[in-house]
Amino acid sequence: MTHNDKPVNGQDNPSFLDLLNQLPPVPPAPENGTGRLAWLRAAWKESWEEGGFLYQRWEEVFQVRHSSWHESPTGSRRPYCSAGSASSS
């Protein structure tokens, strides 16, 4: 599709759509999990498996809901303390 833009300083101004049509086709995404972020997906899945880092943190958060203040892990109490001090000032 051609465009109607007037030339500026004797130079033709191509339409944005004309420029997009000149791009090479996008290669298909790999289906076997060997893409750019395959290592990140693998690490994410591994950390959510039982015993993984994120799984353990989630278990701590879940336990805080059902335990008293003194039984909860220190790392889980920090957000409550900082939120309380921020709202009181």
Side-chain angles (χ1 to χ4, degrees), residues 33-86:
T34 59
R36 294 184 318 172
L37 301 177
W39 65 271
L40 182 60
R41 278 190 294 276
W44 180 261
K45 287 180 182 178
E46 181 182 330
S47 65
W48 276 109
E49 290 176 1
E50 191 168 344
F53 179 77
L54 291 176
Y55 181 85
Q56 290 175 352
R57 300 296 80 79
W58 180 252
E59 286 296 317
E60 287 179 5
V61 169
F62 185 72
Q63 290 171 4
V64 169
R65 288 183 19 197
H66 302 290
S67 62
S68 69
W69 177 259
H70 298 288
E71 295 172 347
S72 62
T74 307
S76 301
R77 288 186 289 200
R78 284 189 192 120
Y80 297 115
C81 294
S82 61
S85 64

